């Protein structure tokens, strides 16, 4: 399974290794790129979930790769571009994901429940009643 890189803002992305169970939600107007990378070519840095900083060069490489047709002839120029893209992904600075813990104890109860059982998908009504 391929690793993927999901742009979450103009300056950062989320790397998700192939086979990692995940879901992506978006709301509002969104413009972004997904890069699916063959595990044989994937740099070791992409073998774990992480947020990375997107440099202007990396952003343009991702846009260029996304503009390739679905079926393309891998020319020398395209192969060089992909190699630089992989090098830039491997060298990308890992970002810290800071999610503050709510101070309101009602919300805190819901968050604690979600942290204890992240795979549970309780309906909003159940979570609301849990929080009181």
């Amino acid at each position: 399974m391929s690793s993927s890189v999901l742009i979450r803002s103009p300056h950062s992305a989320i790397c998700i290794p192939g086979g990692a169970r995940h879901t992506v939600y978006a709301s509002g107007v969104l413009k972004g790129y997904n890069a699916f990378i063959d595990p044989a070519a994937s740099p070791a840095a992409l073998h774990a979930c992480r947020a990375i900083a997107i440099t202007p060069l990396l952003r343009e490489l991702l846009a260029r790769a996304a503009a390739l047709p679905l079926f393309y002839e891998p020319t020398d120029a395209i192969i060089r571009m992909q190699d630089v893209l992989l090098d830039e992904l491997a060298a990308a600075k890992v970002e810290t994901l800071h999610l503050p813990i709510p101070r309101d104890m009602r919300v805190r109860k819901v968050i604690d429940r979600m942290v204890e059982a992240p795979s549970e998908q309780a309906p909003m009504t159940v979570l609301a009643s849990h929080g009181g």
Side-chain angles (χ1 to χ4, degrees):
M1 300 201 154
S2 61
S3 298
S4 66
V5 178
L6 307 167
I7 304 295
R8 66 184 186 119
S9 81
H11 306 290
S12 63
I14 302 294
C15 296
I16 304 169
R21 185 172 176 205
H22 65 284
T23 303
V24 177
Y25 295 97
S27 63
V29 177
L30 173 72
K31 179 182 178 184
Y33 305 100
N34 290 340
F36 297 97
I37 302 165
D38 183 331
S42 180
L46 300 183
H47 294 179
C49 289
R50 64 185 66 214
I52 60 170
I54 299 294
T55 63
L57 173 59
L58 185 49
R59 184 174 47 253
E60 293 305 316
L61 287 165
L62 287 164
R64 177 92 184 262
L68 291 171
L70 184 57
F71 299 104
Y72 62 89
E73 188 65 35
T75 65
D76 288 346
I78 290 173
I79 292 169
R80 286 191 305 273
M81 184 264 304
Q82 291 171 339
D83 287 344
V84 173
L85 173 59
L86 292 173
D87 288 345
E88 288 297 305
L89 285 169
K93 178 184 163 218
V94 176
E95 291 188 328
T96 303
L97 289 176
H98 175 68
L99 298 173
I101 300 297
R103 294 181 188 197
D104 185 301
M105 288 311 294
R106 295 168 297 178
V107 178
R108 180 65 188 261
K109 285 181 186 177
V110 174
I111 297 300
D112 288 345
R113 178 179 176 157
M114 294 171 80
V115 168
E116 289 170 13
S119 63
E120 178 186 357
Q121 296 189 10
M124 188 64 71
T125 54
V126 171
L127 293 174
S129 66
H130 183 74

